Amino acid sequence: MNLHEFQSKSILMEKGVSVPRGLVVYDALEALVAARSLKADKIVLKAQAHSGGRGKAGGIAVMSIDDDVRSEAGRILKMNLVTNQTGPQGKPVSALLVEEAPQIDEELYLGVVLDRNDGHVTVMASPAGGMDIETIAKEAPEKIYLVKVNPLRGLCPFQSRGLAYKLASKNLIANQIAKAVTALYEIFVSYDCTLAEINPLVVSGEKVLALDAKINLDDHALFRRPEMAGLRDRSQEDPVELSARQAGLSYIKLDGDIGCMVNGAGLAMATLDLISIHGGAPANFLDVGGGASEQVVADAMNILLDDIRVKVVFINIFGGILRCDVLARGVIRAIKERGLQLPVIARIEGTNIELGRKLFADSGLQIEMIPSLDEAAELVVVKAKELSAS
Amino acid sequence: MAILVNRESRVICQGITGRNGTFHSIACRDYGANMVGGVTPGKKGAFVDGIPVFNTVEEAVLETGANVSLIFIPAAHAKDPILEAVDAGIKVIVCITEGIPPLDTASALYTVKQKGGVLIGPNTPGIISPTEKCKVGIMPGYIHTPGPVGVISRSGTLTYEVVDQLTKAGMGQSTCLGLGGDPVVGLSFVDCLKMFKDDPKTEAVVLIGEIGGSAEEQASEYIKKEFCKPVVAYVAGKLAPPGKRMGHAGAIISGGAGTAQGKIEALTKAGVTVVENLTKVGQTVRDILL
């Protein structure tokens, strides 16, 4: 679950990290009033959407209070923000953060991640803030300083200080950076984050401020923080992906016209690859999970049939825990409830396969059963092409 | 021979009285595994289809000499049983549970490594050594057959698919194991390749990777330098859009790293036979070994 910048900053403030003075608003007039109340020479309007690269996409404006703040705020609030991270469909702007624009003497980077290679929480710091960490890693890897945290000891004060002294020589500044490092680490661990980042952390005169922040929470640990559920912004998520997740399915929208239902994440990815090898384009990734019930299978089938882009449905199941008869019952139920307008091709293998085949045969539904996965994928692609040609 | 589990393994199941624990403990025993006990706090003295249940792992180890544990405990509580197993001296811990908070896995794994244990998973189908008639996991046993091919995978059903092809192509397996679909897991491809290198019964290895992380790239480095047996690989997720978790928590392209294409290139450069069409893996292995 991703948080907006203003939500991330409010968590940082609770932990004692300074951020620029600012207010969150939801309409243009409110933005003007907020900007005036800040009594700053320069202000910045920042689109709140779950994406980086907002500046380049036109979602951030630095203005003087004499400029037309109201119409600029209105423009940003109405935007559909298309960045290099959102894909062509973009993201709506959920709110506007109106902040004072502080003087910037230096831009630093602080980030905390869990290193999947060694299982250690890793704190990253760099004097080359302002650009993303992947760019720093590519262009100036020597400017990234890392601390690997021993899970039994946690981050020690000397480690925070060590990083701070690499970024600043003045004690006054270094002390504030060390405090920010400790705070960011504590947030990462106590909120079970996948990422906690301040970029840039700016030196502004004698102060150190978090100019931008990104805190992403791990969905698997949200049970420990039920109070965070209220911070989820559903407008930033694809509605079909969201309802699929509520049904216990893992669904990702893609650009093509072949609807896919598969069990298991790896096999689901491989099925997409196979469709592409045969020249087709899948409409989605859909993993019904290892132990799906009849209901979950029916829900999955409905998601595919609801998608107007889908021309052919491809079911690829290797039943392990998921039994083929359960699968067949779920599919048949969904189709019988709504009728079938699309061709369905199924390749089914594994536990209780005979029973599954029999259920499909007895159902009287036009479902083509192809035992060979490769041939099934090929046929699906041919059918999809025929239908888009006609 | 095989790796990690064999005929001598003495297996317990933590969470044996739950629905999945009961079903799979019996299925593992049916396959030939030596299921010596189970653990559910408060259920000491009970039996699951003849398998004795204990209150603690320590007790189970004392009474049965167990050295392998299969864990079916809900994600929110799964860190504790991993630590309990390693403290009781269990050397091979197979954690099936999906969705454990990664920080819990990371901290448990630190202790497992310190004590010289091995954690398979979490979010794994487990491990099976057909040559040794030992299955510690949830995979359908009947698709496997004994033989010379080692299989290492980051996915469950995708492994079944490949194993089924291998069996139908007459290529049996020495040991098949799933590393797990989570971002942090106990074993890497390199760890397993090292074990397969020393296993005389394994003549070739099939490596099934997917997007996310850099385990395949690290395997490529190792294979180039030190691994002489033939390796066939498949990497899933060429069509995965960046920034999306493809079903597995660990299957995500982040910051442009961890793409299928990058992994395929690295493996190819290391001399690995990379198969682009999933359905050709079995035949490719057969062509190489026969």
Side-chain angles (χ1 to χ4, degrees):
Chain A
M1 177 178 121
N2 297 348
L3 300 186
H4 284 299
E5 176 190 5
F6 74 91
Q7 296 167 329
S8 303
K9 280 178 168 169
S10 104
I11 294 176
L12 281 169
M13 273 166 68
E14 277 169 33
K15 288 277 181 183
V17 179
S18 300
V19 303
R21 291 181 305 127
L23 293 155
V24 183
V25 300
Y26 299 88
D27 79 36
L29 180 56
E30 249 191 307
L32 177 63
V33 175
R36 288 186 171 279
S37 77
L38 288 174
K39 299 200 185 340
D41 298 339
K42 271 194 165 174
I43 53 136
V44 56
L45 307 177
K46 304 182 86 177
Q48 299 298 292
H50 290 169
S51 175
R54 290 170 297 163
K56 271 186 200 146
I60 295 179
V62 181
M63 310 188 80
S64 140
I65 195 64
D66 302 324
D67 297 337
D68 190 355
V69 172
R70 188 175 177 181
S71 51
E72 185 64 1
R75 180 190 67 80
I76 296 178
L77 276 164
K78 279 196 221 81
M79 277 184 87
N80 182 47
L81 209 63
V82 179
T83 74
N84 53 359
Q85 295 175 14
T86 58
Q89 72 284 0
K91 299 243 175 177
V93 174
S94 295
L96 193 68
L97 178 58
V98 183
E99 277 187 344
E100 65 171 336
Q103 162 200 334
I104 296 175
D105 302 324
E106 281 174 74
E107 292 187 281
L108 314 172
Y109 173 92
L110 291 183
V112 186
V113 293
L114 178 59
D115 184 336
R116 46 193 295 174
N117 289 321
D118 58 18
H120 280 62
V121 173
T122 304
V123 184
M124 306 176 286
S126 172
M131 44 181 167
D132 60 48
I133 188 72
E134 289 86 11
T135 313
I136 308 174
K138 220 178 279 167
E139 291 176 6
E142 74 286 354
K143 284 191 183 158
I144 299 178
Y145 304 103
L146 298 179
V147 167
K148 295 267 169 188
V149 183
N150 176 315
L152 305 182
R153 297 194 310 186
L155 183 73
C156 301
F158 81 88
Q159 294 176 303
S160 301
R161 284 199 303 272
L163 283 176
Y165 285 124
K166 292 216 161 73
L167 303 189
S169 46
K170 275 195 220 155
N171 275 328
L172 186 65
I173 301 298
N175 287 344
Q176 292 177 68
I177 297 174
K179 203 171 151 191
V181 170
T182 303
L184 198 61
Y185 168 78
E186 281 172 3
I187 289 167
F188 184 89
V189 174
S190 67
Y191 287 88
D192 282 276
C193 296
T194 55
L195 172 72
E197 189 179 69
I198 303 175
N199 187 24
L201 178 74
V202 300
V203 179
S204 178
E206 300 202 320
K207 277 205 269 182
V208 173
L209 299 170
L211 204 61
D212 195 359
K214 192 185 279 179
I215 294 177
N216 296 342
L217 310 180
D218 199 303
D219 286 328
H220 287 136
L222 284 177
F223 67 88
R224 285 204 267 247
R225 289 269 181 185
E227 77 277 14
M228 301 304 286
L231 298 187
R232 187 182 282 279
D233 182 353
R234 293 192 159 75
S235 75
Q236 297 290 319
E237 300 176 46
D238 183 275
V240 184
E241 290 179 16
L242 201 63
S243 66
R245 190 165 63 231
Q246 278 155 358
L249 299 161
S250 182
Y251 174 95
I252 311 270
K253 199 179 204 170
L254 302 170
D255 300 330
D257 55 7
I258 298 171
C260 302
M261 172 156 81
V262 189
N263 66 326
L267 189 59
M269 281 188 270
T271 304
L272 308 182
D273 295 345
L274 198 57
I275 288 172
S276 144
I277 284 176
H278 288 295
N284 65 277
F285 164 97
L286 199 170
D287 168 15
V288 295
S293 64
E294 187 181 321
Q295 182 59 49
V296 169
V297 172
D299 289 343
M301 197 64 199
N302 277 317
I303 285 175
L304 297 184
L305 297 175
D306 282 341
D307 187 342
I308 50 163
R309 306 168 307 151
V310 169
K311 297 207 170 67
V312 187
V313 172
F314 184 24
I315 301 173
N316 180 21
I317 300 292
F318 201 108
I321 305 181
L322 171 61
R323 304 190 325 250
C324 295
D325 56 314
V326 174
L327 177 272
R329 282 195 188 93
V331 170
I332 293 167
R333 195 170 93 194
I335 295 177
K336 287 212 162 149
E337 275 168 15
R338 60 189 296 158
L340 183 61
Q341 285 90 30
L342 303 175
V344 177
I345 292 164
R347 178 275 185 164
I348 295 164
E349 192 60 72
T351 313
N352 284 9
I353 173 65
E354 294 308 326
L355 189 51
R357 283 210 184 102
K358 187 171 179 320
L359 284 166
F360 276 124
D362 295 350
S363 72
L365 296 172
Q366 292 294 315
I367 296 176
E368 262 186 275
M369 304 283 288
I370 312 281
S372 148
L373 174 55
D374 205 25
E375 284 166 25
E378 207 176 343
L379 181 66
V380 165
V381 174
V382 169
K383 289 247 177 195
K385 284 193 174 155
E386 275 171 17
L387 286 165
S388 45
S390 62
Chain B
M1 280 288 285
I3 68 167
L4 290 164
V5 298
N6 55 41
R7 236 177 274 275
E8 313 297 322
S9 298
R10 299 177 69 77
V11 187
I12 56 165
C13 173
Q14 289 171 261
I16 191 168
T17 54
R19 195 166 62 100
N20 288 326
T22 298
F23 181 89
H24 290 290
S25 292
I26 295 169
C28 289
R29 190 188 55 190
D30 287 350
Y31 186 80
N34 198 6
M35 293 298 302
V36 296
V39 174
T40 299
K43 297 273 173 79
K44 184 182 178 179
F47 288 86
V48 169
D49 204 36
I51 304 169
V53 182
F54 302 91
N55 279 335
T56 66
V57 178
E58 187 184 17
E59 215 176 359
V61 169
L62 272 174
E63 297 283 332
T64 68
N67 52 15
V68 175
S69 179
L70 175 62
I71 298 181
F72 290 95
I73 306 283
H77 312 285
K79 177 179 164 183
D80 188 55
I82 298 174
L83 292 173
E84 182 182 4
V86 76
D87 271 16
I90 298 279
K91 287 298 173 213
V92 176
I93 301 163
V94 181
C95 184
I96 305 296
T97 311
E98 176 176 3
I100 301 177
L103 286 174
D104 285 2
T105 306
S107 96
L109 179 59
Y110 186 83
T111 303
V112 170
K113 283 185 174 168
Q114 267 193 330
K115 299 214 172 190
V118 165
L119 174 65
I120 302 177
N123 193 4
T124 172
I127 179 165
I128 182 167
S129 293
T131 38
E132 297 282 324
K133 289 239 162 288
C134 184
K135 164 173 128 120
V136 186
I138 59 173
M139 62 289 278
Y142 72 91
I143 59 173
H144 300 77
T145 192
V149 184
V151 179
I152 323 167
S153 172
R154 284 175 60 193
S155 159
T157 47
L158 189 49
T159 318
Y160 311 161
E161 179 71 48
V162 167
V163 167
D164 189 52
Q165 284 178 33
L166 288 169
T167 295
K168 284 175 178 160
M171 297 282 99
Q173 307 90 40
S174 53
T175 298
C176 308
L177 77 161
L179 302 178
D182 279 1
V184 176
V185 291
L187 283 179
S188 67
F189 282 121
V190 174
D191 295 329
C192 301
L193 285 167
K194 284 179 181 165
M195 291 184 255
F196 276 129
K197 186 182 175 188
D198 296 334
D199 176 30
K201 286 287 166 65
T202 301
E203 293 169 29
V205 173
V206 175
L207 192 151
I208 304 165
E210 66 186 27
I211 56 159
S214 57
E216 293 80 3
E217 287 84 344
Q218 286 159 4
S220 305
E221 286 299 308
Y222 174 75
I223 291 167
K224 206 183 332 183
K225 279 191 238 142
E226 313 205 19
F227 198 77
C228 307
K229 299 178 186 183
V231 180
V232 172
Y234 173 78
V235 181
K238 263 198 209 155
L239 295 195
K244 295 279 189 182
R245 287 182 196 280
M246 303 297 281
H248 285 150
I252 179 166
I253 298 170
S254 42
T259 64
Q261 209 48 49
K263 292 171 186 299
I264 290 171
E265 277 165 28
L267 288 162
T268 308
K269 270 191 203 150
V272 172
T273 307
V274 181
V275 182
E276 304 253 342
N277 183 328
L278 168 70
T279 65
K280 310 288 183 222
V281 175
Q283 191 55 45
T284 307
V285 174
R286 189 184 162 89
D287 291 346
I288 288 174
L289 277 188
L290 290 187

